Amino acid sequence: MKKIYFGSNEAPSGGNEPFWQPWGMGGWLLRLLGFLILLFILGVLLSLFKNPRSNDETANAEVPDPIINPVTPDPGRVPLPGDVNFPHDIQNPGRNLPQPGDNNIPPYDDDDITSDDGRQVVGDRLNVILDAADDQTFNKWADEFKALYPGEEYKVVYYDRMTQLLQIQIPSSEREQIMQALPTQITDISFYVFPEGLMGNLYQPNDLVFEHPETNWYFAPIQAYEAWEITKGSPDVIVAICDSYFDLNHDDLNSDRIVKPYSVVRRNSNVKPASDCDEVSFLHGSMVASQALGNMDNQRGTAGIAPGCKFMPVSLGHMMTSLTVLQGLLYAIYQGASVVNLSVGDQFTDEVMQLGVEDQIALSRQISLEEQAVWDYVAELARERNVTIVWAAGNENVFTGLDASKRGNATIKVSAVDTELHKADFSNFGNFAQYGIMESTISAPGVNIIGAKPYNTYDIGPGTSFAAPIVTGAVALMKSLDPTLSTAEIIEILQETGKPIEGDATIGKLIQIKDALMKVKNNFADFDDIMADHEKFVGLWRSTTLLEITTDGQPTGKKCRSYYDITSTAGGTSIIYATDTQKDYSTSLSIEWKPNEIVMTEAGTKTNPTDDTYRFVPLTLVCSPDSASLLRCVATDGNGTSTTIYLRKVTHRQD
């Protein structure tokens, strides 16, 4: 890692005469004495730059060596909110749950680590994710588990009602047997059980010398400059970065765009680096966050791809496992994130990494199947809430699908290219057309990527960790134009507009952000075109406003999409698709053409003939041109509540 400097630090050139000239020997002695005095003063001054340890065990790590020409702190810095604690304990935990004060994730050490099909796991732990659990469910599950396994070596050691997860401790020798047996033993509660896999930051160390021209090389090949002409991001879109730690005082991160910071380990809003963390964890989260959505136009070091979007920092600490990563991801999903970046992944043994590609593919179909089911379940929770998950593919030059969290097409997996726009030699891969396998969704630059480092400094580094936030930022820009975009639609657009990687089809295409944004934007309804030719209104349209389902006036977190299937200039069908039931609720729609308006009236309540979960009230939509001639519709219900929506033409449904 190399510090980044701004300005010249070259010393002036000197002559060839002896160092004591032109003062003579006496002058030399005086000069030596003066030098020693200056050296002493310098030592005292340098000691003042040391960051004293806080009495708090979670204080920031010591300040690194002072940099030359440090950046002056931004005078407009936003004050950070005080730490906020979150209610993780249930009100009346039973005797088989940890009591308040004891309910913390237990640490592990090297003796606890074992190998599971070539993957490193904590041997004496299993994790459980409950489905829609209330306090009674936590107690009930713990009681049933203890009745099955009454010995002292079996117990619930941790639970978290915010993310509906709990952890059990069992003998290492029985881990596999208990994991298989529990779903058949506890059948009256819906849950998944899975092992505690070790996960780490996907970071490639380097010692490259940084030069200013190298910092911006990757913006042009991905069309970032052209994309920013379209949008820099909407504050309505929240991007969660689930990573190690964050320096929210850094000039490229500090802003009023920060929302709901959360530490999985501390269980409060303090996401700053811990005093005992390693160097990579110390800087990793800050770098990733700045690459996705760091501040722009503040005369500081760099800028993120989506500098206009909200930033939700979720700290996973520096001892990451599948449990802490799941907690961070679930927190982001439940707290309203639109996009989640995860630059973390499984760690494998040398034996696995040395296998041939076909053997790796075969192994991926045999190992971690229980954990894959958990990740699939969480991806479904994200889909219901229209949350897009972006993973770094990994840096071990192996098949991406070996990692259970990176299988299937429900999330985006990002591989890395180098400065020549070829596959980076460290990047994991995943695409084999001959086998029908596509596990590398898209690629982005992942070498010599600049990012924010704590204490207002910067670093450059390679890794899919730094390719993923580029894609995360691009997805946030796409959702800024159309928040209703599903992950499936986003993947389709990215792959349609991406640029093939020369000489290597095993990784996804290189992302082209401007082309992706134009693919989204070009299908918006144009009022003038439709008024000039009413037939242009015939077709399938979708509202770009994503609606949240409420029950008895309370938000559920579940989302729904509004479609308008215009079959003629006189009308068609109004449809709401609910992401949780995966069903349509519809009614007929009539259209009235006025000189400067289009009025669409729904005939009645939108229902489904075979499902009565929801009944959506009828609306009247009055559509007129906005300042850019786009069709802007004001949808009003019978109570006078109005919502402004835009319409985008779609060729098919992607729910």
Side-chain angles (χ1 to χ4, degrees):
M1 304 296 294
K2 296 294 181 185
K3 298 184 179 68
I4 294 171
Y5 303 103
F6 295 90
S8 173
N9 298 296
E10 297 180 1
S13 60
N16 295 320
E17 61 272 285
F19 68 87
W20 63 80
Q21 296 294 334
W23 297 282
M25 186 60 69
W28 172 77
L29 291 173
L30 290 174
R31 188 179 182 202
L32 177 60
L33 179 61
F35 173 78
L36 293 174
I37 293 173
L38 287 173
L39 188 62
F40 173 76
I41 294 173
L42 180 60
V44 173
L45 290 175
L46 287 176
S47 69
L48 297 178
F49 284 95
K50 299 260 183 210
N51 185 34
R53 293 276 183 176
S54 168
N55 291 329
D56 182 359
E57 291 182 357
T58 61
N60 282 340
E62 290 184 357
V63 178
D65 296 334
I67 65 169
I68 301 173
N69 293 338
V71 180
T72 303
D74 186 350
R77 184 182 306 283
V78 176
L80 297 180
D83 290 349
V84 177
N85 292 312
F86 295 86
H88 293 265
D89 301 314
I90 65 178
Q91 291 186 354
N92 296 298
R95 61 194 179 107
N96 293 318
L97 285 176
Q99 299 303 302
D102 297 326
N103 186 26
N104 299 292
I105 299 176
Y108 63 87
D109 56 39
D110 292 341
D111 293 336
D112 299 324
I113 307 306
T114 186
S115 176
D116 182 3
D117 293 321
R119 177 170 175 263
Q120 292 182 313
V121 300
V122 183
D124 63 347
R125 311 276 180 84
L126 287 173
N127 299 313
V128 176
I129 180 170
L130 300 175
D131 181 5
D134 54 17
D135 291 3
Q136 182 179 356
T137 306
F138 275 97
N139 278 317
K140 181 177 174 60
W141 197 97
D143 291 344
E144 293 191 29
F145 170 72
K146 196 61 179 175
L148 292 165
Y149 302 94
E152 287 298 319
E153 64 272 35
Y154 309 93
K155 57 184 175 181
V156 177
V157 293
Y158 170 74
Y159 72 90
D160 180 358
R161 70 180 182 87
M162 285 194 66
T163 54
Q164 300 184 19
L165 285 159
L166 53 81
Q167 185 175 88
I168 58 176
Q169 182 174 305
I170 41 86
S172 296
S173 60
E174 300 178 35
R175 175 173 49 83
E176 184 66 27
Q177 175 187 345
I178 293 175
M179 183 169 64
Q180 298 297 333
L182 275 174
T184 65
Q185 295 171 325
I186 301 177
T187 58
D188 55 343
I189 301 174
S190 177
F191 67 94
Y192 279 105
V193 59
F194 57 99
E196 179 78 345
L198 291 186
M199 305 186 84
N201 294 313
L202 303 178
Y203 175 76
Q204 283 290 107
N206 74 91
D207 56 356
L208 300 177
V209 176
F210 181 79
E211 295 291 341
H212 291 289
E214 296 177 6
T215 64
N216 60 16
W217 76 268
Y218 61 92
F219 290 113
I222 61 174
Q223 302 179 332
Y225 300 111
E226 298 92 336
W228 290 329
E229 293 295 321
I230 300 172
T231 180
K232 294 184 177 70
S234 165
D236 294 330
V237 174
I238 299 175
V239 178
I241 307 294
C242 297
D243 214 289
S244 54
Y245 300 101
F246 306 90
D247 179 4
L248 299 184
N249 272 314
H250 196 292
D251 286 339
D252 273 340
L253 296 178
N254 180 269
S255 76
D256 58 3
R257 296 183 295 120
I258 297 172
V259 296
K260 300 181 180 179
Y262 178 61
S263 167
V264 167
V265 177
R266 295 171 177 138
R267 300 198 291 185
N268 61 23
S269 60
N270 179 6
V271 299
K272 66 184 179 181
S275 59
D276 61 341
C277 70
D278 57 275
E279 181 180 0
V280 170
S281 298
F282 178 75
L283 60 86
H284 196 272
S286 296
M287 289 189 70
V288 169
S290 67
Q291 290 152 1
L293 66 169
N295 295 332
M296 178 181 280
D297 295 327
N298 64 347
Q299 299 182 340
R300 298 303 191 264
T302 185
I305 299 298
C309 294
K310 292 287 180 62
F311 168 32
M312 180 189 292
V314 182
S315 171
L316 308 177
H318 58 281
M319 298 179 69
M320 297 183 200
T321 67
S322 49
L323 177 65
T324 55
V325 174
L326 266 172
Q327 285 185 289
L329 176 54
L330 287 168
Y331 175 85
I333 290 172
Y334 292 147
Q335 296 300 315
S338 303
V339 192
V340 183
N341 186 94
L342 288 156
S343 290
V344 300
D346 277 349
Q347 300 176 5
F348 298 99
T349 61
D350 291 339
E351 289 79 7
V352 170
M353 292 189 287
Q354 290 167 4
L355 292 174
V357 172
E358 291 188 358
D359 290 334
Q360 291 179 15
I361 294 173
L363 183 61
S364 73
R365 293 170 176 169
Q366 302 168 14
I367 64 173
S368 305
L369 299 183
E370 296 88 356
E371 189 167 353
Q372 179 183 340
V374 175
W375 292 113
D376 289 345
Y377 177 75
V378 173
E380 177 62 19
L381 294 178
R383 187 198 66 80
E384 291 178 358
R385 292 157 177 80
N386 204 52
V387 182
T388 298
I389 301 171
V390 180
W391 290 95
N395 298 332
E396 297 171 306
N397 193 29
V398 298
F399 178 58
T400 302
L402 286 169
D403 188 335
S405 64
K406 301 175 179 61
R407 297 174 187 166
N409 57 8
T411 63
I412 296 174
K413 287 89 67 178
V414 184
S415 297
V417 300
D418 58 22
T419 55
E420 300 299 320
L421 304 182
H422 298 150
K423 176 187 172 298
D425 56 8
F426 55 79
S427 178
N428 287 0
F429 49 84
N431 297 344
F432 297 92
Q434 66 270 33
Y435 303 128
I437 296 174
M438 295 289 291
E439 295 290 14
S440 173
T441 311
I442 198 74
S443 296
V447 174
N448 290 3
I449 308 299
I450 185 174
K453 180 180 177 180
Y455 304 116
N456 256 6
T457 56
Y458 299 85
D459 268 309
I460 57 172
T464 57
S465 276
F466 304 150
I470 291 173
V471 173
T472 293
V475 172
L477 295 184
M478 294 170 70
K479 286 198 167 186
S480 295
L481 294 182
D482 183 357
T484 66
L485 285 171
S486 67
T487 298
E489 285 180 303
I490 290 169
I491 290 174
E492 182 178 294
I493 292 171
L494 291 178
Q495 293 179 339
E496 284 182 359
T497 58
K499 183 178 180 181
I501 305 300
E502 183 179 347
D504 200 322
T506 65
I507 63 174
K509 296 178 181 179
L510 178 64
I511 190 169
Q512 301 292 283
I513 306 177
K514 181 264 293 182
D515 290 347
L517 294 180
M518 292 303 297
K519 185 82 173 177
V520 176
K521 184 179 179 181
N522 284 345
N523 289 324
F524 277 56
D526 185 281
F527 182 83
D528 291 341
D529 285 349
I530 291 172
M531 292 301 288
D533 182 358
H534 293 184
E535 289 293 335
K536 288 186 176 181
F537 203 34
V538 175
L540 182 64
W541 300 86
R542 191 177 70 198
S543 165
T544 60
T545 299
L546 192 67
L547 303 177
E548 183 172 21
I549 297 175
T550 60
T551 302
D552 297 329
Q554 298 300 315
T556 64
K558 310 292 179 64
K559 306 295 182 180
C560 60
R561 295 182 175 87
S562 299
Y563 289 91
Y564 300 92
D565 188 7
I566 309 300
T567 54
S568 73
T569 58
T573 304
S574 177
I575 306 164
I576 283 187
Y577 173 83
T579 57
D580 58 339
T581 63
Q582 300 186 43
K583 294 184 181 297
D584 288 340
Y585 304 82
S586 61
T587 188
S588 60
L589 181 76
S590 62
I591 299 176
E592 180 183 1
W593 299 88
K594 295 185 176 182
N596 293 305
E597 286 182 345
I598 304 171
V599 179
M600 298 190 289
T601 304
E602 297 177 350
T605 301
K606 294 177 282 293
T607 60
N608 182 291
T610 63
D611 181 87
D612 60 357
T613 304
Y614 300 117
R615 295 173 59 86
F616 294 95
V617 298
L619 302 172
T620 299
L621 292 84
V622 178
C623 306
S624 59
D626 70 359
S627 59
S629 186
L630 296 180
L631 188 74
R632 178 176 57 196
C633 301
V634 178
T636 306
D637 63 20
N639 296 322
T641 303
S642 298
T643 303
T644 299
I645 66 174
Y646 286 83
L647 300 180
R648 190 169 71 87
K649 199 161 196 176
V650 293
T651 57
H652 57 282
R653 296 274 294 275
Q654 279 276 23
D655 297 321

